[in-house]
Amino acid sequence: VGGGGLRGGRPQVGRVGRAGRGTATGVRRGAEALTADLWACRWLRGGEVVAYDRDEAHRVAKVYRSLERDLIAEIKGGTITVANALVKLLRLQQLTGGALKVDESDTVIEVSTAKRDLLADVLEDLPHEPIVIFCRFHHDLDAVHRVATRLNRPCAELSGRINELGVWTGWTGGILAVQVQAGSLGIDLTHARYALFYSLGFSLGQYTQAKARLVRPGQEHSVTFYHLLARGTIDEGIMRALDAKAEVVQYVVEELRK
């Protein structure tokens, strides 16, 4: 699986060993994107099917496509605009991470572990050293903690609910789960040279600043960024918008309209 690194803004190429389960290599204008095949009903390792959960994949795909069709119909019918599309786009994005919010409730249920399993495989391939993982939702932060426990790796968090940055910098091989909104502030994450985006925000400024937390004075290594995306979903549209330096919500709504 290829890696796209940055030192002083110049792209570099790195490699990690084997292809992970459910992964595929893809390049999005210089940003390394690893895709979780949530909808294809197959899990791949080294090109071979090693596990198969048709029921789960079909169930998640059905829910996602239903929500997507409803949104597209509303966009084309003029009842959904850029101004009021955000809530429904967020719901689609949560689903790519395996979470589904129950209507008129704060309850979130887990419907898929595909992206979480992809994260575990990527972490197993990377060197055992400090790693930053950017997330959008609390469910995604919780998924990072669960993967870290599964891999017997220490994990700290920097988010609106807790600040354990100082704890993480004291570790030699720990994981820091960072909420994108918190990680885009003026903090120093140069303790790590690897960063993953488990989920992306809708702000180009926050995305750029999150990456700048690692690529800044004090960083002594090339920095490699990975993006975990659900194939054929809003994840890829958000990535295209960020690569194009466009206003994300407007870009994704226009893509759906077309």
Side-chain angles (χ1 to χ4, degrees):
V1 181
L6 289 174
R7 179 192 286 274
R10 293 193 300 273
Q12 299 182 345
V13 177
R15 293 225 173 246
V16 290
R18 56 182 170 75
R21 180 172 59 188
T23 70
T25 303
V27 178
R28 302 289 186 273
R29 299 178 187 270
E32 178 61 20
L34 310 177
T35 58
D37 223 344
L38 299 190
W39 328 120
C41 310
R42 31 178 211 153
W43 296 98
L44 305 178
R45 186 186 298 277
E48 297 182 1
V49 177
V50 295
Y52 199 83
D53 192 344
R54 178 185 296 273
D55 290 340
E56 176 183 294
H58 281 178
R59 182 177 67 251
V60 179
K62 184 177 180 180
V63 173
Y64 184 92
R65 295 307 176 203
S66 176
L67 292 173
E68 185 181 55
R69 280 195 302 270
D70 290 346
L71 177 57
I72 291 172
E74 291 181 83
I75 291 172
K76 291 185 175 180
T79 58
I80 286 287
T81 64
V82 171
N84 61 13
L86 183 59
V87 172
K88 296 200 173 185
L89 292 177
L90 283 172
R91 197 171 181 205
L92 283 177
Q93 190 186 19
Q94 280 182 305
L95 192 52
T96 70
L100 179 63
K101 186 175 181 180
V102 180
D103 286 335
E104 300 180 0
S105 167
D106 291 330
T107 303
V108 175
I109 59 175
E110 184 171 80
V111 294
S112 172
T113 63
K115 190 178 281 190
R116 197 171 78 208
D117 292 338
L118 172 60
L119 173 63
D121 278 339
V122 173
L123 290 178
E124 285 183 319
D125 284 335
L126 291 174
H128 192 91
E129 58 182 84
I131 294 175
V132 174
I133 303 176
F134 292 105
C135 304
R136 178 78 183 271
F137 306 105
H138 284 167
H139 173 273
D140 297 341
L141 293 167
D142 294 339
V144 173
H145 284 291
R146 292 171 72 176
V147 170
T149 299
R150 171 174 154 189
L151 300 179
N152 198 28
R153 298 278 298 271
C155 185
E157 182 178 321
L158 174 61
S159 68
R161 61 188 183 183
I162 191 168
N163 183 346
E164 297 176 326
L165 178 61
V167 175
W168 173 71
T169 55
W171 296 336
T172 57
I175 295 169
L176 182 65
V178 181
Q179 195 166 24
V180 172
Q181 299 90 314
S184 63
L185 301 176
I187 58 174
D188 187 341
L189 300 178
T190 56
H191 186 53
R193 65 186 178 107
Y194 291 101
L196 289 81
F197 283 87
Y198 190 90
S199 46
L200 295 160
F202 287 168
S203 167
L204 175 62
Q206 287 182 349
Y207 173 70
T208 303
Q209 285 300 310
K211 295 173 75 173
R213 298 308 98 213
L214 286 87
V215 184
R216 60 178 292 167
Q219 179 58 261
E220 299 178 351
H221 306 281
S222 298
V223 177
T224 304
F225 295 97
Y226 294 95
H227 301 77
L228 276 57
L229 312 174
R231 189 190 309 278
T233 71
I234 189 175
D235 279 359
E236 294 186 321
I238 296 170
M239 189 76 256
R240 285 191 291 269
L242 293 172
D243 287 340
K245 294 180 170 55
E247 200 288 313
V248 176
V249 174
Q250 181 175 344
Y251 186 100
V252 173
V253 167
E254 287 304 314
E255 276 200 344
L256 291 172
R257 191 193 309 276
K258 295 174 183 178

